[in-house]
Structure formats: structure tokens, C-alpha cells
Amino acid sequence: MRRLLSGLAVAVVAVIATAAPAAAHSDLEEASPGPGDDVAAGAASVHLVFGEGVADDDVNRVTLATAGGDAVAVGQPSVVDDGFGVCAATDALAPGEYVLDWRVMSEDGHPAQSRYSFEVTDAGSPVDAAACEGVDLAAPEAADDGFSVGTATIVGVGALALLVVVGLFVVRVRRDRRAA
């Protein structure tokens, strides 16, 4: 019985450890606006380029907020650059500091995500919008702060593991009582 419990405990730990999000498979290589950039007011799109292909999937997300936390409307990203980039339409950006969060699904099925900041000023450099021109971009929408798939998976696996451990404990206590 002790071997069974030890084996199950090792299996539960292995499942939980592998359920964590994978290391970034699609590292961000270029962005416009990019990390730390000072861009001109009025920019209305985001272009991100990755080192590996991005799946054309509805889980790809780009969210944008002011440094104060106010959400900026962003459209659903479209895959561009022969599958290595995404473009998303935004509301025209007014001067201020912004935080951009992105999450994409790699072609190999692994999610990658990160965030960075940039600034918009009247004297900033124009955003390189050429890669997003001619792409049918979804209209900007308010950000959804819902429960992410990754979080739901981790919580579900954790709950299942807890159920298994509690069940095994109950079985062991009952067997010990019968043996006594």
C-alpha cells in the first residue's frame, strides 16, 4: 500500500509540474511599437514578430493598457509575416505610457507570452505600420480580463490531484480501521 501511495504521489507531482506553461517557444524578436520605444501619438496598430511560427488561433491575444491600468481597445490579432508575426488594430494612442501584454500559440502548440512598456509622445517616432497595411484587422474591442486557459488548466489539474490524494487517504484510513 505504501508503494502505491508513493507511486501515486510521484505521478501527481509529475502531472502538476508538466502542466505549468511551457518556456517561450516563440520569442519576440521585433515589435512596433517595441519595448522602450518612444512613438508618435496617433499610432493605431501593433506589429509583433516572433522567432518561430505562430498558429493562426483565436487564443492569440494582444492587450494594451495605460500605465495607470486603463484598458485600451485592441482587435483580435491577425497572423502575418508568413506565420511569424501578428498585427492588431488599436484605438489611436494618445501621449502617455503604455503596457502591452501578448500571448500567442506557437505552431508546435506551446503558448508564449510576455509584456513590455513603451511611451507615446507628440515628438515620438512614427510606428512602422507597413507590415499591417492591407491586412484585414479586426476592429479594436475592450480587453477581456477573463480566466485564462492556462490558469484554468493548472487549477483543474491541482483540484484533481487534491481529490486523488484525499481519496487515497480515506481508503487507507478505512483499511487501517478494518485491520485493527
Side-chain angles (χ1 to χ4, degrees), residues 108-143:
D108 65 5
H110 291 98
Q113 63 188 28
S114 190
R115 77 171 24 180
Y116 63 84
S117 301
F118 63 91
E119 189 170 359
V120 175
T121 63
D122 290 326
S125 302
V127 169
D128 180 14
C132 298
E133 287 177 8
V135 177
D136 188 21
L137 297 178
E141 299 175 359

Side-chain angles (χ1 to χ4, degrees), residues 23-178:
H25 287 263
S26 288
D27 292 332
L28 183 65
E29 291 193 350
E30 296 177 37
S32 182
D37 283 356
D38 180 3
V39 300
S45 67
V46 173
H47 178 225
L48 307 173
V49 180
F50 300 93
E52 290 188 22
V54 175
D56 195 2
D57 199 329
D58 286 343
V59 298
N60 296 333
R61 294 276 182 254
V62 174
T63 59
L64 192 57
T66 64
D70 295 326
V72 176
V74 178
Q76 176 65 30
S78 294
V79 176
V80 296
D81 303 325
D82 296 324
F84 283 83
V86 296
C87 282
T90 67
D91 280 346
L93 301 179
E97 292 184 34
Y98 292 86
V99 177
L100 184 139
D101 284 284
W102 59 266
R103 174 184 165 85
V104 296
M105 185 67 66
S106 296
E107 284 183 336
D108 65 5
H110 291 98
Q113 63 188 28
S114 190
R115 77 171 24 180
Y116 63 84
S117 301
F118 63 91
E119 189 170 359
V120 175
T121 63
D122 290 326
S125 302
V127 169
D128 180 14
C132 298
E133 287 177 8
V135 177
D136 188 21
L137 297 178
E141 299 175 359
D144 178 16
D145 293 331
F147 203 58
S148 75
V149 174
T151 303
T153 302
I154 291 170
V155 169
V157 169
L160 180 62
L162 181 62
L163 250 157
V164 168
V165 170
V166 169
L168 290 172
F169 179 76
V170 169
V171 167
R172 182 173 180 169
V173 167
R174 285 187 178 174
R175 283 189 181 166
D176 287 348
R177 285 186 183 166
R178 286 184 193 157

